[in-house]
Amino acid sequence: EIVLTQSPGTLSLSPGERATLSCRASQSVNSGYLTWYQQKPGQAPRLLIYGTSIRATGVPDRFTGSGSGTDFTLTINRLEPEDFAVYYCQQYASSYTFGQGTKLEIK
Amino acid sequence: QVQLQESGPGLVKPSETLWLTCTVSTGSISNYYWSWIRQPPGKGLEWIGYVYYNGDTNYNPSLKTRVTIVVDTSNNQFSLKLNSVTAADTAVYYCARDVWYKSGSSWVFNGMDVWGQGTAVTVSS
């Protein structure tokens, strides 16, 4: 089973700043099967990015996914108030696993 | 726009069996994979398993011995059965649609694009 480790656990930033979230895999991941989700309190997760870098429908272009192999990154430019949430990466390799999440909070 | 709705008991006794159902509305259950995911209070997401509309399944290895997921295409529903529950199974349970399609000889994954609102399950006597 591939383990995904996200860092940092919590990221404190101000609106307008750039956020860089990391997702590291215990072994190489097919980049076509690396996905990012956003979750706000009391809500279900929302699909943000699939195939490492493809934005889902309706996702603003300030969200950018990148990476390959074992290292993947979600970058959020010009943070908006609604971007403060928990972000999870996910991979598929015979079964799905999620990272433990990064909480993006307002500084 | 496809919508998913989980249903089932909010309270289950230890050692008993948990049954949850996800109803797919405003869309067909056919040609998609359908997953169950759970989230213990204050913790992260854990994938439980998925079912394809033809009945094929795949489960999280850590839960495989206790989990069964079945699909009912006639009612546009799929269900989760979790045996021998303990307090560690207390969580919000989500159902979701997994978008996979075949491109040539390869499979392409477009993420879990539709989620239910989640249903809270507590395991307690």
Side-chain angles (χ1 to χ4, degrees):
Chain A
E1 177 180 282
I2 295 179
V3 175
L4 299 178
T5 302
Q6 294 186 240
S7 61
T10 301
L11 185 57
S12 299
L13 293 170
S14 300
E17 293 191 297
R18 173 188 294 175
T20 302
L21 287 66
S22 173
C23 176
R24 178 161 290 178
S26 59
Q27 54 189 285
S28 187
V29 170
N30 182 325
S31 60
Y33 301 163
L34 194 288
T35 311
W36 290 91
Y37 299 87
Q38 176 193 66
Q39 187 179 33
K40 296 180 180 179
Q43 297 184 17
R46 169 199 177 196
L47 175 65
L48 281 182
I49 301 279
Y50 60 91
T52 295
S53 60
I54 304 170
R55 283 185 291 273
T57 302
V59 175
D61 61 7
R62 63 178 180 274
F63 290 88
T64 302
S66 62
S68 64
T70 60
D71 290 305
F72 298 87
T73 301
L74 175 67
T75 302
I76 313 171
N77 290 311
R78 304 178 308 277
L79 283 167
E80 297 284 346
E82 61 266 28
D83 299 337
F84 292 91
V86 179
Y87 292 84
Y88 294 94
C89 57
Q90 177 202 40
Q91 67 80 38
Y92 181 84
S94 74
S95 66
Y96 295 111
T97 55
F98 289 93
Q100 84 279 18
T102 289
K103 181 180 182 180
L104 177 58
E105 65 176 23
I106 298 177
K107 188 173 182 180
Chain B
Q1 173 73 357
V2 172
Q3 294 184 319
L4 306 182
Q5 179 66 59
E6 304 90 349
S7 58
L11 180 63
V12 183
K13 289 182 168 53
S15 80
E16 294 191 342
T17 296
L18 168 66
W19 271 103
L20 295 175
T21 294
C22 183
T23 301
V24 180
S25 58
T26 324
S28 174
I29 205 166
S30 297
N31 300 311
Y32 287 100
Y33 289 82
W34 303 91
S35 274
W36 286 98
I37 302 99
R38 69 182 183 179
Q39 185 170 37
K43 296 189 178 181
L45 302 169
E46 180 182 35
W47 175 71
I48 299 170
Y50 67 57
V51 63
Y52 193 40
Y53 78 102
N54 68 357
D56 289 346
T57 55
N58 186 17
Y59 302 131
N60 184 324
S62 69
L63 297 170
K64 191 172 185 175
T65 59
R66 298 196 292 131
V67 171
T68 304
I69 300 176
V70 296
V71 64
D72 177 358
T73 54
S74 60
N75 288 306
N76 248 24
Q77 295 177 329
F78 61 104
S79 297
L80 167 68
K81 176 186 171 186
L82 182 63
N83 297 326
S84 305
V85 298
T86 70
D89 296 310
T90 293
V92 173
Y93 285 74
Y94 296 100
C95 56
R97 184 176 77 173
D98 306 7
V99 182
W100 286 89
Y101 67 91
K102 203 86 178 286
S103 176
S105 60
S106 300
W107 281 93
V108 177
F109 178 52
N110 284 5
M112 295 177 174
D113 69 335
V114 181
W115 293 65
Q117 66 186 25
T119 187
V121 176
T122 300
V123 178
S124 175
S125 55

